[in-house]
């Protein structure tokens, strides 16, 4: 078996048994990235030198018997995470040469375990997009078919894991940005409950929705990586101080008696037939596994996309105000005065979609419009959250599609933002509700593109969706397929 | 002609808090450090950095709220105030908007003639300060500006009054009260020059009897009590002149220029920002429960007004003495400690307001650093009260105590300053003085009673101040009249 085909758990065993060294693993990945990334464009920055140095340190730790769960494991991070001494661009021109002076909490946590950071991954600029086409450094391509998008905004993360350019990756999910690309690339993506993982050092898009999560080859790895990053962080006031359970411990529990809800509003016109068939097949599998299938309703689903594009853009308009050319990032040298400097720097530094969302959000917060847009959206958000709480009074998990279609082709939706926004219709409500959800492979389209299944859990019950996902994975072979690449 | 216009004033006070660290990060708040040396990712507004609320700031806000009779909100919200300026690193200021930490308070002020008036306090909220711009003033640096973010993210309280003041004097009186309270509480150092305590005044005029308020101007940039009075008075005059000459007051921000004593327009309403306030999603709602409020309440010091009242009612001090002693928390503490050990409160007040304050001023010492402890001063006053020494010798002893830090009894003993109360010894001195001044004796006996002072002085001088002046007086009269 090739080194880069091994999962985190398999690598762990081989590193612990000394069948492999961390340096050998890092070298295998370096070669793999060099051979494949010109096609995929998953990386913005490849960490050749620092990765090798980290691998050496990991080997020393292994030799000394100081082994943490991630010691020596090659993990890549979306370029939204601050990484001390490395470029952190958020795929934006405005931060093209920005070198972060500090580590995000999640980066510090995996570094503490002596994981090897292979590089920084491509994404939609400032996490705004569903296709990775909004990167200032070129679109990432889907490893299953290079003419297709990998999804977004963590498209680089999903494509990287699918194309074996890292064993696992960290992404962020604001409206589906982990789950949708995971679905399009045939890998496992988990968005934890809001507050489960620290946001400190994660470049903010929409602060009340952003959440960090793992993208991995299988469910066990997802549990492993979540375990490493989850938990309260005093530096993030919105992170919750609640104990983190042992996710591995409950992973293999049986599903007998588990109540799985199917929200009626998620199986409607516009859902691709291949996707519908694959998800229905998954429902049948769960029945066989002893789960009880219950139809439920999430009545405010149709308002979710509109609600999201008001709240997320409002927060973004404020979050992105700091990119003003004063202290760091792009600054024009043509400006006549202060206002000019702001306008020209921001005009030059931000891409079209980012500008569109800043304008939308600024409008939604403006005096005279605030009540009709921002405030109304907040009220709708409360109702959407209540929908989920009501459904969870009846069932343990919800089962839905991740995206209405498999990965679309590059350029297909770039001129139709509204169509692009609708590709997140099944993932956005989860962020608005603040709960947890994951995407795992459940089939392929006729064209050979992966299809994902979404499992949504109660707040802070990541353990439940992980074991629900794990049972499905054990019963199916979908996750074992890899792109011929 | 009677003044047909009524002045209406409301004040917005910004008090910089004396916490050691900033409101949303752990950086030091110390003043006057190398530019940008007291910064971190949070107060620099770096990508990804998040604010964490300093609990001490909340405690200071609750303290100030309780001291000004506010209701403390069980749940309050931080909001972002969005605008671009180079001294504002995030492009927004974290402040409070819809749900501030304190509301519905009041503070009484004393008017001339002893009446008191209640000024409403609309709200008190917490917010972060901005940094500072340093504009190049050398020929090479002209047109360039540097940004110092040491001050960015230092905690402020904004205390907003109702438009309840009707004259510049009332405004000053209110401002001084609030100043005294925040300094008393130790939440603000009260330094106006350094900008630790700043004030914006909303000023309008209206014809007497009119219910609705006139259009207001907001006066900014006023950094002394005197300037605030000048600025308000000038602005009232300007508005009345404007109206009298057929013009209209426009809502605008005006800057006070202390060189000219005038205000000038800074920006009008049409240029006013739309700050797009919204709740800061990086900070959770601030929940303050009753037990927290109770704990803060029990830690509150006695406030100046209550202290003044106690000094008058319980200790029998005159109003003036009570006012002076209560004006400064440490001075009042000194007085209180002295009174507990001394026999007479009034004597303590006299000595503290006289000798102690004089000496502080002469030696440029702070009340906290006085070398004579309140207990030591009480001992000295008791020695005067029980006639061990005279008041005059007392001053000499006080001086020596200040210089040496030694106690009154010890000094009186070692320097032999004890008052002479031996009748025989005093009689000897009296006889000598009478014998030496026959002319004055004749004049005295001729009816010039006032000359008794001359004789007392001579005897005291002969005793090197140690004779008991009362006894000297008695014995002199006895001898002179007996002659």
């Amino acid at each position: 078996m090739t080194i880069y085909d091994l999962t985190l758990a398999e690598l762990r065993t081989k590193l612990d048994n000394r069948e492999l060294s961390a340096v050998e693993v890092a070298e295998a990945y370096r070669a793999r990235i060099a051979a494949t990334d010109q096609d995929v464009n998953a990386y913005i920055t490849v960490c050749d030198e620092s990765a090798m140095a980290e691998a050496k340190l990991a080997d020393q730790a292994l030799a000394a018997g100081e082994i943490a769960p991630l010691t020596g494991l090659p993990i890549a991070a979306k370029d939204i995470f601050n990484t001390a001494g490395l470029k952190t661009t958020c795929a934006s021109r405005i931060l093209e040469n920005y070198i972060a002076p500090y580590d995000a909490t999640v980066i510090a946590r995996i570094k503490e375990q002596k994981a090897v950071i292979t590089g920084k991954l491509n994404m939609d600029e400032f996490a705004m997009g569903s296709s990775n086409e909004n990167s200032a450094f070129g679109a990432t391509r889907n490893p299953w078919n290079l003419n297709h998008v990998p999804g977004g905004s963590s498209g680089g993360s999903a494509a990287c894991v699918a194309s074996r350019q890292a064993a696992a990756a960290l992404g962020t999910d604001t409206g589906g940005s982990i789950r949708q690309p995971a679905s399009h690339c045939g890998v496992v993506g988990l968005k934890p409950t809001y507050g489960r993982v620290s946001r400190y050092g994660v470049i903010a898009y929409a602060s009340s929705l952003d959440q960090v999560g793992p993208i991995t080859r299988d469910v066990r790895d997802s549990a492993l990586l979540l375990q490493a990053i989850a938990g309260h962080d005093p530096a993030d006031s919105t992170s919750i101080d609640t104990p983190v359970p042992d996710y591995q411990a409950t992973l293999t529990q049986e599903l007998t008696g588990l109540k799985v809800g199917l929200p009626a509003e998620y199986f409607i016109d516009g859902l691709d037939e291949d996707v519908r068939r694959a998800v229905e097949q998954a429902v049948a599998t769960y029945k066989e596994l002893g789960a009880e299938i219950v139809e439920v309703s999430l009545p405010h689903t149709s308002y979710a996309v509109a609600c999201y594009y008001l709240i997320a853009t409002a927060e973004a308009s404020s979050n992105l105000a700091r990119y003003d050319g004063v202290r760091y990032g792009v600054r024009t040298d043509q400006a006549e005065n202060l206002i000019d400097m702001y306008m020209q720097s921001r005009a030059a530094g931000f891409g079209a979609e980012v500008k569109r969302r800043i304008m939308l959000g600024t409008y939604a917060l403006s005096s005279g419009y605030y009540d009709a847009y921002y405030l109304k959206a907040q009220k709708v958000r409360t109702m959407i959250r209540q929908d989920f709480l009501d459904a969870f009074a009846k069932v343990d998990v919800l089962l839905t599609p991740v995206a209405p279609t498999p990965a679309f082709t590059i350029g297909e939706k770039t001129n139709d933002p509204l169509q692009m926004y609708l590709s997140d219709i099944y993932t956005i409500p989860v962020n608005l509700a603040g709960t947890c959800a994951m995407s795992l492979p459940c089939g392929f389209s006729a064209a050979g593109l992966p299809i994902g299944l979404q499992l949504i859990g109660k707040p802070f019950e990541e353990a439940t969706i992980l074991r629900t996902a794990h049972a499905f994975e054990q019963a199916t072979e979908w996750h074992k397929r890899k792109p011929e690449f | 002609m009677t003044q047909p216009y009524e002045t209406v004033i409301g004040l917005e006070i910004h008090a910089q808090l004396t916490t050691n660290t900033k409101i949303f990060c752990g950086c030091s708040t110390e003043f006057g450090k190398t530019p940008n040396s007291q910064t971190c990712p949070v107060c620099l507004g770096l990508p990804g950095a998040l604010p964490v609320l300093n609990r001490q700031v909340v405690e200071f806000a609750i303290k100030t709220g309780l001291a000004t009779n506010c209701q403390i909100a069980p749940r309050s919200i931080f909001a972002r105030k969005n605008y671009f300026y180079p001294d504002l690193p995030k492009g927004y200021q974290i402040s409070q908007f819809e749900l501030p930490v304190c509301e519905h308070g009041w503070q009484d002020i004393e008017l001339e003639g002893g009446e008191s008036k209640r000024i409403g306090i609309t709200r008190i909220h917490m917010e972060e300060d901005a940094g500072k711009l340093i504009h190049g003033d050398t020929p090479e640096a002209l047109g360039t500006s540097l940004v110092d973010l040491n001050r960015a993210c230092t905690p402020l309280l904004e205390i907003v009054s109702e438009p309840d003041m009707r004259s510049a004097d009332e405004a000053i009186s209110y401002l001084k009260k609030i100043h005294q309270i925040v300094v008393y509480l130790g939440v603000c150092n009260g330094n106006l020059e350094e900008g630790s305590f700043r004030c914006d005044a909303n000023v309008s005029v209206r014809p007497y009897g009119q219910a609705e308020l006139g259009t207001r101007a907001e006066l900014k940039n006023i950094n002394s009590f005197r300037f605030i009075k000048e600025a308000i008075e000038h602005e009232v005059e300007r508005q009345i002149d404007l109206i009298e000459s057929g013009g209209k007051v426009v809502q605008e921000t005006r800057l006070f220029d202390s060189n000219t004593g005038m205000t000038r327009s800074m920006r009008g309403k049409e240029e006013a920002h739309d700050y797009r306030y919204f709740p800061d999603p990086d900070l959770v709602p601030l929940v303050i429960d009753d037990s927290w409020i109770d704990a803060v309440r029990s830690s509150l010091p006695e406030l100046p007004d209550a202290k003044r009242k106690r000094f008058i009612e319980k200790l029998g001090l005159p109003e003036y003495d009570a006012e002076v002693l209560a004006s400064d928390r440490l001075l009042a503490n000194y007085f209180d400690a002295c009174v507990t050990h001394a026999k007479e409160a009034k004597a303590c007040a006299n000595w503290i307001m006289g000798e102690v304050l004089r000496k502080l001023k002469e030696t440029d010492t702070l009340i906290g650093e006085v070398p004579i402890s309140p207990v030591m001063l009480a001992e000295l006053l008791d020695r005067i009260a029980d006639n061990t020494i005279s008041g005059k010798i007392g001053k000499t002893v006080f001086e020596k105590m200040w210089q040496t830090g030694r106690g009154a009894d010890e000094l009186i003993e070692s320097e032999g300053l004890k008052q002479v109360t031996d009748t025989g010894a005093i009689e000897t001195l009296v006889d000598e003085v009478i014998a030496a001044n026959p002319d004055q004796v004749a004049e005295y006996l001729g009816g010039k009673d006032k000359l008794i002072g001359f004789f007392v002085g001579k005897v005291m001088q002969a005793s090197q101040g140690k004779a008991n002046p009362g006894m000297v007086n008695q014995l002199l009269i006895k001898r002179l009249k007996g002659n």
Side-chain angles (χ1 to χ4, degrees):
Chain A
M1 198 177 209
T2 2
I3 291 175
Y4 54 73
D5 277 328
L6 299 170
T7 62
L8 292 176
E10 289 162 348
L11 281 170
R12 176 79 279 131
T13 310
K14 292 196 189 297
L15 286 168
D16 292 354
N17 296 342
R18 303 293 160 79
E19 289 172 59
L20 279 175
S21 72
V23 167
E24 283 174 293
V25 176
E27 272 170 353
Y29 274 103
R30 179 160 70 177
R32 177 68 179 169
I33 294 166
T36 54
D37 205 43
Q38 70 269 29
D39 293 327
V40 182
N41 195 27
Y43 280 89
I44 289 175
T45 302
V46 179
C47 297
D48 274 346
E49 275 176 39
S50 62
M52 210 48 72
E54 285 165 3
K56 281 178 187 151
L57 285 176
D59 277 333
Q60 284 168 17
L62 289 165
E66 292 157 5
I67 307 170
L70 299 185
T71 306
L73 299 182
I75 295 168
K78 187 178 183 178
D79 211 15
I80 200 166
F81 297 99
N82 278 280
T83 40
L86 293 179
K87 270 208 298 190
T88 299
T89 70
C90 233
S92 181
R93 282 277 166 240
I94 212 156
L95 288 176
E96 188 169 4
N97 296 309
Y98 181 74
I99 294 178
Y102 74 101
D103 278 326
T105 298
V106 290
I107 296 294
R109 285 188 178 168
I110 67 168
K111 273 188 178 173
E112 207 176 278
Q113 296 203 7
K114 295 199 165 59
V116 175
I117 295 172
T118 55
K120 305 292 294 291
L121 299 169
N122 209 349
M123 55 186 283
D124 285 298
E125 183 180 3
F126 283 103
M128 298 178 185
S130 310
S131 70
N132 248 60
E133 292 164 295
N134 298 333
S135 167
F137 308 111
T140 301
R141 292 163 182 276
N142 191 318
W144 293 90
N145 183 330
L146 295 176
N147 294 323
H148 287 250
V149 302
S153 67
S154 308
S157 302
C160 167
V161 174
S163 61
R164 274 54 182 162
Q165 294 194 69
L170 290 175
T172 60
D173 189 316
T174 306
S177 280
I178 285 175
R179 291 159 288 157
Q180 185 254 24
S183 163
H184 285 352
C185 292
V187 290
V188 176
L190 189 154
K191 182 206 95 74
T193 309
Y194 186 79
R196 177 55 98 188
V197 181
S198 169
R199 292 187 297 114
Y200 187 78
V202 182
I203 297 181
Y205 158 26
S207 313
S208 75
L209 300 158
D210 296 342
Q211 188 60 198
V212 178
I215 294 181
T216 55
R217 307 259 176 82
D218 66 15
V219 176
R220 183 174 290 279
D221 280 6
S222 187
L224 185 75
L225 193 46
L226 177 63
Q227 197 82 53
I229 60 171
H232 179 240
D233 176 11
D236 174 4
S237 311
T238 63
S239 84
I240 309 287
D241 195 359
T242 177
V244 179
D246 181 347
Y247 296 118
Q248 302 280 339
T250 51
L251 202 57
T252 52
Q253 279 177 9
E254 299 220 339
L255 299 190
T256 317
L258 185 87
K259 286 188 182 159
V260 176
L262 303 181
E265 293 80 0
Y266 282 49
F267 295 88
I268 46 161
D269 290 347
L271 179 59
D272 176 272
E273 274 316 305
D274 287 346
V275 174
R276 182 190 295 274
R277 205 173 306 120
V279 172
E280 281 171 358
Q281 185 55 48
V283 172
T285 305
Y286 274 112
K287 273 187 195 156
E288 287 163 25
L289 289 168
E292 184 188 335
I293 307 296
V294 183
E295 181 149 319
V296 293
S297 173
L298 299 170
H300 298 95
T301 299
S302 59
Y303 302 105
V305 173
C307 173
Y308 170 86
Y309 276 95
L310 289 168
I311 293 172
T313 58
E315 293 179 4
S317 71
S318 173
N319 283 334
L320 271 60
R322 66 187 62 195
Y323 308 105
D324 56 6
V326 174
R327 286 143 298 131
Y328 49 78
V330 168
R331 184 202 290 179
T332 176
D333 50 10
Q334 310 291 318
E336 297 279 318
N337 55 41
L338 182 63
I339 296 291
D340 245 18
M341 184 185 95
Y342 286 145
M343 298 211 291
Q344 290 185 27
S345 301
R346 287 165 68 82
F350 289 137
E353 182 62 25
V354 172
K355 286 175 190 159
R356 180 181 292 127
R357 293 196 194 189
I358 290 174
M359 285 190 279
L360 271 172
T362 304
Y363 187 79
L365 288 176
S366 295
S367 133
Y369 299 97
Y370 181 89
D371 288 0
Y373 293 112
Y374 181 79
L375 201 62
K376 173 81 67 77
Q378 289 293 4
K379 288 176 183 167
V380 172
R381 180 176 186 174
T382 305
M383 296 166 95
I384 289 171
R385 181 174 168 78
Q386 194 55 50
D387 280 357
F388 279 92
L389 297 180
D390 291 347
F392 282 130
K394 298 181 196 124
V395 299
D396 301 300
V397 296
L398 296 169
L399 187 160
T400 78
V402 178
T405 65
F408 42 92
T409 56
I410 291 172
E412 192 179 328
K413 295 185 181 178
T414 41
N415 293 321
D416 191 349
L418 217 53
Q419 271 307 306
M420 189 78 93
Y421 294 172
L422 287 171
S423 64
D424 295 328
I425 191 163
Y426 299 133
T427 47
I428 279 173
V430 175
N431 299 79
L432 292 170
T435 193
C436 59
M438 63 190 294
S439 167
L440 66 157
C442 73
F444 284 83
S445 70
L449 290 165
I451 293 168
L453 172 72
Q454 177 168 241
L455 297 172
I456 307 170
K458 297 177 186 175
F460 298 102
E461 292 201 11
E462 285 82 2
T464 306
I465 53 173
L466 280 164
R467 82 178 164 95
T468 307
H470 186 257
F472 180 82
E473 202 177 65
Q474 293 299 300
T476 58
E477 298 283 314
W478 305 116
H479 67 289
K480 290 186 178 158
R481 287 209 204 168
K482 53 181 182 177
E484 285 172 31
F485 185 81
Chain B
M1 185 184 121
T2 53
Q3 168 62 268
Y5 291 98
E6 182 180 39
T7 302
V8 176
I9 303 161
L11 296 183
E12 290 171 17
I13 298 167
H14 284 92
Q16 189 181 310
L17 300 180
T18 53
T19 55
N20 293 327
T21 57
K22 297 183 177 182
I23 180 169
F24 297 121
C25 65
C27 290
S28 165
T29 51
E30 213 179 318
F31 186 78
K33 292 285 171 174
T34 313
N36 298 311
S37 63
Q38 310 203 95
T39 57
C40 73
V42 176
C43 56
L44 288 174
L46 295 189
L50 296 173
V52 175
L53 179 61
N54 180 343
R55 278 178 73 86
Q56 177 136 56
V57 173
V58 181
E59 207 141 307
F60 282 8
I62 299 174
K63 261 190 184 172
T64 310
L66 291 174
T68 52
N69 312 292
C70 287
Q71 290 168 19
I72 310 299
R75 183 172 174 278
S76 73
I77 300 278
F78 284 94
R80 293 185 184 176
K81 179 180 182 178
N82 294 285
Y83 66 95
F84 285 97
Y85 205 66
D87 67 5
L88 189 70
K90 296 187 293 294
Y92 57 84
Q93 178 196 27
I94 305 177
S95 181
Q96 295 195 294
F97 187 58
E98 279 188 331
L99 295 171
V101 64
C102 308
E103 280 186 291
H104 313 301
W106 49 263
Q107 176 58 44
D108 287 340
I109 59 170
E110 281 82 46
L111 304 179
E112 266 188 56
E115 258 179 276
S116 96
K117 175 174 177 175
R118 183 154 293 184
I119 306 298
I121 292 172
T122 317
R123 56 186 279 151
I124 300 177
H125 69 249
M126 299 171 274
E127 61 186 23
E128 59 179 342
D129 210 342
K132 267 184 188 155
L133 293 188
I134 301 152
H135 301 290
D137 51 7
T138 61
E140 316 84 72
L142 214 60
T144 65
S145 298
L146 299 172
V147 186
D148 176 9
L149 295 174
N150 279 352
R151 199 183 65 181
C153 212
T154 50
L156 300 176
L157 283 187
E158 181 171 335
I159 304 164
V160 183
S161 84
E162 292 287 311
D164 285 348
M165 288 149 277
R166 294 291 174 267
S167 70
D169 284 333
E170 286 185 21
I172 298 299
S173 174
Y174 165 78
L175 191 63
K176 284 188 169 165
K177 282 275 182 193
I178 299 295
H179 183 263
Q180 197 176 57
I181 288 170
V182 293
V183 172
Y184 234 83
L185 294 172
V187 303
C188 173
N189 71 19
N191 192 324
L192 278 83
E193 266 171 43
E194 281 177 10
S196 311
F197 188 86
R198 346 192 247 270
C199 171
D200 301 338
N202 287 308
V203 178
S204 64
V205 297
R206 64 180 168 191
Y208 272 104
Q210 180 182 303
E212 66 266 34
L213 296 169
T215 306
R216 68 171 194 268
E218 188 182 1
L219 309 182
K220 279 190 182 288
N221 196 30
I222 340 180
N223 66 352
S224 85
F225 290 120
R226 186 166 61 87
F227 290 160
I228 289 163
K229 187 170 154 70
E230 274 181 38
I232 291 172
E233 282 171 349
H234 168 266
E235 179 59 20
V236 168
E237 216 172 291
R238 187 190 71 85
Q239 290 187 13
I240 293 172
D241 286 352
L242 194 63
I243 295 166
E244 293 282 287
S245 60
K248 258 181 127 178
V249 176
V250 292
Q251 192 177 326
E252 61 182 351
T253 301
R254 298 182 69 86
L255 276 186
F256 175 71
D257 184 339
S258 58
N259 296 318
T260 62
M262 314 268 264
T263 62
R264 62 185 155 81
S265 182
M266 187 168 110
R267 61 170 183 257
K269 193 190 180 187
E270 65 278 11
E271 297 160 63
H273 290 293
D274 177 358
Y275 289 119
R276 291 175 283 119
Y277 280 102
F278 75 107
D280 191 334
D282 288 332
L283 290 160
V284 292
L286 170 63
V287 175
I288 300 173
D289 58 17
D290 288 346
S291 66
W292 194 2
I293 297 173
D294 290 343
V296 174
R297 185 179 280 123
S298 66
S299 78
L300 280 184
E302 186 185 27
L303 290 165
D305 280 355
K307 217 159 233 171
R308 202 164 41 90
K309 211 169 153 216
R310 178 168 60 82
F311 288 171
I312 295 169
E313 289 174 4
K314 295 261 163 68
L315 299 176
L317 294 191
E319 198 154 319
Y320 174 79
D321 292 18
E323 178 75 43
V324 172
L325 292 169
S327 68
D328 181 287
R329 185 175 167 185
L330 292 176
L331 185 67
N333 288 349
Y334 188 93
F335 169 72
D336 264 328
C338 193
V339 166
T340 355
H341 293 93
K343 293 197 172 68
E344 275 184 71
K346 178 60 183 156
C348 296
N350 288 346
W351 273 74
I352 292 170
M353 290 165 61
E355 294 309 298
V356 177
L357 287 184
R358 178 183 58 78
K359 201 69 191 163
L360 286 177
K361 208 171 163 193
E362 263 175 35
T363 56
D364 202 15
T365 309
L366 295 171
I367 182 75
E369 303 162 347
V370 172
I372 300 174
S373 73
V375 181
M376 287 162 73
L377 181 62
E379 184 186 298
L380 173 64
L381 299 187
D382 283 353
R383 291 300 81 82
I384 296 169
D386 67 13
N387 284 327
T388 307
I389 53 170
S390 65
K392 192 157 177 232
I393 293 286
K395 289 187 182 171
T396 314
V397 175
F398 177 85
E399 203 57 48
K400 288 191 193 297
M401 287 167 77
W402 190 287
Q403 279 155 21
T404 62
R406 288 160 71 194
D409 282 342
E410 194 191 336
L411 282 165
I412 292 166
E413 186 65 31
S414 68
E415 309 261 324
L417 296 170
K418 200 162 180 177
Q419 194 156 244
V420 177
T421 50
D422 171 357
T423 316
I426 297 175
E427 271 174 350
T428 311
L429 293 173
V430 166
D431 289 345
E432 281 170 20
V433 167
I434 288 172
N437 298 284
D439 293 354
Q440 282 81 358
V441 172
E443 281 182 50
Y444 177 80
L445 293 174
K448 219 168 174 188
D449 284 353
K450 275 189 190 162
L451 270 175
I452 191 72
F454 165 81
F455 293 112
V456 171
K458 285 285 178 191
V459 176
M460 290 304 292
Q461 203 178 356
S463 75
Q464 288 164 311
K466 288 185 279 184
N468 180 316
M471 288 175 71
V472 170
N473 203 49
Q474 254 177 33
L475 288 169
L476 268 169
I477 292 168
K478 197 171 140 200
R479 283 283 201 223
L480 286 165
K481 298 263 157 133
N483 266 0

